[in-house]
């Protein structure tokens, strides 16, 4: 038989173009079936055509599958970005809720401060009034003490005048 003995797989560089190969009736693939495959005779052109046929049959589907997988991967990335944005929005909403509670708390504390300030102003007014009253009472007591002192001085003077004085001899 006229065939080409093939020792291993053919690389694409070894495959001839279809136009360059001419088929003869004797060039066929023979496989000894009684035991393990020992000698395989293959026509390179037949192997090439079978490979081309196999590739032409499955390659478009595989390429479509590859494009579909790429589109799915791209869509998945888009969905992941959208999901990340939604998560960010939820975090911002939680932050806004936290801010709202902080503003509410700040308002409560502001009201407490305003009330404390009013109480401090009221206490300041009361202490000022008490200080004025205490000053008036002190002045009044000093005045009474001074009047008593004058009264006593007058009484002492009167008693001195009432005391008999020896007459002067002339």
């Amino acid at each position: 038989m006229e065939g080409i003995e093939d020792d291993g797989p053919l690389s694409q560089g070894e495959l001839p173009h279809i136009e360059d190969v001419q088929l003869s009736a004797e060039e066929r693939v023979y496989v000894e079936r009684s035991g393990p495959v020992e000698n395989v005779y293959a026509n390179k052109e037949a192997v090439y055509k079978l490979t081309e046929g196999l590739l032409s049959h499955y390659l478009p589907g595989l390429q479509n599958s590859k494009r579909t997988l790429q589109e799915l991967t791209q869509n998945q990335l888009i969905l992941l970005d959208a999901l990340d944005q939604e998560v960010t929005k939820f975090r911002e909403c939680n932050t806004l809720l936290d801010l709202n509670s902080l503003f509410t708390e700040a308002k409560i504390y502001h009201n407490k401060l305003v009330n404390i300030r009013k109480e401090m102003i009221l206490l300041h007014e009361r202490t000022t009034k008490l200080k004025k009253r205490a000053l008036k009472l002190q002045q009044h007591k000093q005045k009474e003490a001074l009047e008593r002192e004058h009264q006593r001085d007058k009484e002492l003077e009167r008693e001195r005048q009432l005391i008999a004085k020896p007459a002067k001899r002339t």
Side-chain angles (χ1 to χ4, degrees):
M1 288 203 166
E2 288 184 32
I4 301 174
E5 187 173 334
D6 192 13
D7 293 333
L10 297 174
S11 66
Q12 195 173 9
E14 294 177 340
L15 292 177
H17 292 285
I18 294 174
E19 298 83 22
D20 299 338
V21 178
Q22 294 180 1
L23 288 175
S24 66
E26 298 175 8
E27 294 177 329
R28 295 188 181 151
V29 175
Y30 293 98
V31 177
E32 191 176 308
R33 296 181 190 240
S34 61
V37 177
E38 294 177 7
N39 294 328
V40 176
Y41 296 98
N43 182 323
K44 283 193 176 191
E45 185 176 349
V47 171
Y48 180 74
K49 284 187 177 185
L50 285 172
T51 304
E52 269 191 5
L54 186 66
L55 286 176
S56 67
H57 181 71
Y58 289 109
L59 192 60
L62 290 173
Q63 287 175 340
N64 284 339
S65 297
K66 182 180 178 181
R67 274 193 300 274
T68 305
L69 283 174
Q70 286 174 341
E71 288 176 14
L72 286 173
T73 304
Q74 187 177 9
N75 288 341
Q76 207 173 28
L77 290 174
I78 291 170
L79 286 173
L80 283 174
D81 286 342
L83 186 62
D84 188 38
Q85 290 174 358
E86 291 299 318
V87 167
T88 304
K89 286 180 185 177
F90 280 121
R91 285 185 183 148
E92 288 174 0
C93 286
N94 286 340
T95 304
L96 288 176
L97 290 176
D98 291 342
L99 284 176
N100 286 337
S101 65
L102 284 176
F103 279 120
T104 304
E105 194 173 337
K107 188 175 181 179
I108 290 169
Y109 285 121
H110 176 70
N111 288 337
K112 286 183 179 181
L113 284 173
V114 168
N115 289 336
I116 290 172
R117 185 172 183 261
K118 286 179 184 177
E119 285 181 34
M120 289 180 69
I121 289 172
L122 183 65
L123 289 174
H124 177 69
E125 289 174 359
R126 285 183 181 173
T127 55
T128 305
K129 287 179 184 177
L130 285 174
K131 283 181 183 177
K132 286 181 182 177
R133 186 173 173 203
L135 183 64
K136 284 182 183 178
L137 285 173
Q138 185 181 11
Q139 288 174 348
H140 183 38
K141 283 185 179 181
Q142 285 176 349
K143 189 176 179 183
E144 285 180 355
L146 188 60
E147 284 178 11
R148 276 184 282 177
E149 189 69 33
H150 273 37
Q151 188 69 27
R152 205 176 331 166
D153 286 344
K154 281 183 184 178
E155 285 179 18
L156 284 176
E157 184 65 32
R158 190 172 160 221
E159 282 181 23
R160 260 192 282 151
Q161 287 176 0
L162 289 177
I163 295 179
K165 293 183 185 175
K168 288 186 184 180
R169 291 186 192 185
T170 39

